[in-house]
Amino acid sequence: MGWRGILGFEYGIVLAPLGPDISGPELVAAVANAGGLGLLRAPDWESPDYLRDLIRKTKTLTDKPFGIGVVLAFPHKENIKAILDEKVAVLQVYWGECTEELVLEAHQAGVKIVPQVGSVEEAKRAIDAGVDAIIVQGREAGGHVIGQDALISLVPRVVDLVGGQDIPVIAAGGIVDARGYVAALALGARGVCLGTRFVATEESYAHPTYKRKLVELEKTEYTDIFGRARWPNAPQRALETPFYVHWRTLPSHENETHQPVIGHSTIHDMEKEIRRFAGPVPNATATGDIESMAMYAGQGVGLIKEILPAGEVVKRLVTGAQRLIHQNFSAEIC
């Protein structure tokens, strides 16, 4: 096992399951081939046959293990059955209860299960359910954010809660480079989960305009203006694009339901209208007013200066972290 490996993977680098379909087979395979854990994103509706095809396509691009993320707030039972039938390495779940029954079902299929949590209380329930690892998401994270605590305070508390149990804690939120990786390790995490940094890669299925904005813009804001009708009470961290700045004070009774259609997109093989204030970020198929669509990003976005191959991102994280530890933290303490 290589440096800082987790769950049998060479490195402790995890590609977040970027929605709606930004972490597709090409990106997941690139991360897996580089020694990290790549996570596909399941559709937010039941589509088991499509999901099987997605998994099988990924298997043609890598002989390494990978995983898939499921949002439990949406219909998912048939999707999870397909995932377990296909025996992916890891089932990642979010925004819902990771029950003992679900953990047992995954383990009986030979699949490891990793929930993402945003609080100590959630972490305690996950530990009690017998999960294989825990992704701890801080409020700095991009996209939909389930908790309110900052990563620097939340990770050590979960690490202490895990104690001597073999349940790796994986830090998520605002991490984009080796410095963030080392900081997470110092907090007690054994790995890091990155979203925004991997959106801004060559293999990402994000629209080119979205990728460009991640390089150009540096500010984000915690908000709830996107997707209020489809996914209520699910706040997000988004880029401060000109569109967002103009609409950031959207009245609480407004949502996307009666807004004009600003574009179209094919998401997980389904044609979708994109209305103003809709939740999905623009993928590579999106057309229309791209700059008025949601663009999620974590607080570390200002550190992203270029679009890179995903494998290069993994390499720089690992070698950079090794170098930092060797140069700055390995001196003998007298």
Side-chain angles (χ1 to χ4, degrees):
M1 183 181 293
W3 189 76
R4 293 291 176 183
I6 52 171
L7 295 173
F9 293 84
E10 188 174 1
Y11 301 127
I13 311 294
V14 180
L15 157 67
L18 305 167
D21 57 359
I22 303 302
S23 56
E26 292 76 14
L27 178 54
V28 168
V31 171
N33 289 333
L37 167 55
L39 296 174
L40 294 164
R41 168 66 184 275
D44 292 338
W45 54 87
E46 296 283 26
S47 188
D49 291 338
Y50 166 81
L51 200 46
R52 289 188 184 92
D53 290 342
L54 190 71
I55 293 168
R56 291 169 186 175
K57 179 179 180 181
T58 307
K59 289 178 178 178
T60 69
L61 301 175
T62 182
D63 60 0
K64 305 289 187 181
F66 58 90
I68 186 162
V70 175
V71 176
L72 299 177
F74 299 111
H76 59 268
K77 289 186 178 181
E78 292 303 313
N79 286 345
I80 287 181
K81 185 178 184 301
I83 291 166
L84 299 184
D85 287 346
E86 291 295 321
K87 298 191 181 300
V88 300
V90 173
L91 168 63
Q92 188 265 0
V93 293
Y94 186 39
W95 216 281
E97 191 70 20
C98 182
T99 63
E100 289 185 37
E101 291 77 16
L102 181 56
V103 172
L104 179 61
E105 187 180 357
H107 287 171
Q108 287 176 337
V111 175
K112 295 174 181 176
I113 185 164
V114 179
Q116 179 166 287
V117 306
S119 68
V120 172
E121 293 76 19
E122 268 193 296
K124 176 67 164 63
R125 292 194 294 270
I127 293 167
D128 291 344
V131 301
D132 296 284
I134 300 173
I135 298 174
V136 177
Q137 183 196 50
R139 199 173 188 268
E140 306 92 331
H144 292 87
V145 183
I146 200 168
Q148 292 295 318
D149 293 331
L151 199 65
I152 197 169
S153 61
L154 185 57
V155 167
R157 294 180 68 194
V158 176
V159 169
D160 289 349
L161 197 64
V162 168
Q165 300 176 75
D166 187 22
I167 302 176
V169 173
I170 302 162
I175 299 170
V176 299
D177 63 12
R179 292 169 293 183
Y181 191 1
V182 172
L185 296 176
L187 295 174
R190 286 170 55 188
V192 289
C193 180
L194 287 76
T196 309
R197 174 62 271 190
F198 281 120
V199 178
T201 57
E202 292 178 2
E203 297 90 346
S204 158
Y205 200 52
H207 193 280
T209 298
Y210 183 13
K211 295 184 187 184
R212 177 169 53 83
K213 291 293 184 183
L214 293 174
V215 174
E216 292 177 351
L217 302 179
E218 297 188 346
K219 293 183 178 181
T220 66
E221 190 165 307
Y222 184 81
T223 182
D224 74 339
I225 72 167
F226 297 108
R228 287 174 176 170
R230 189 182 75 94
W231 194 354
N233 302 313
Q236 323 94 34
R237 182 170 296 282
L239 275 177
E240 287 193 7
T241 61
F243 173 84
Y244 173 75
V245 171
H246 179 75
W247 291 101
R248 71 199 323 163
T249 58
L250 186 72
S252 59
H253 65 275
E254 296 282 359
N255 60 48
E256 69 272 28
T257 305
H258 302 295
Q259 297 295 320
V261 174
I262 61 171
H264 295 81
S265 183
T266 302
I267 298 174
H268 288 302
D269 261 2
M270 289 191 66
E271 298 294 324
K272 299 283 188 179
E273 287 185 339
I274 305 297
R275 295 184 178 274
R276 188 168 61 192
F277 309 127
V281 297
N283 67 16
T285 72
T287 59
D289 186 3
I290 304 298
E291 298 201 12
S292 295
M293 296 180 186
M295 294 187 184
Y296 302 141
Q299 285 187 327
V301 68
L303 298 170
I304 298 174
K305 304 301 181 184
E306 58 185 328
I307 309 299
L308 294 171
E312 181 66 17
V313 170
V314 174
K315 178 182 176 182
R316 291 188 185 188
L317 283 164
V318 173
T319 59
Q322 288 175 316
R323 184 171 58 252
L324 278 171
I325 290 173
H326 177 72
Q327 292 177 348
N328 298 328
F329 305 108
S330 298
E332 183 178 351
I333 299 176
C334 298

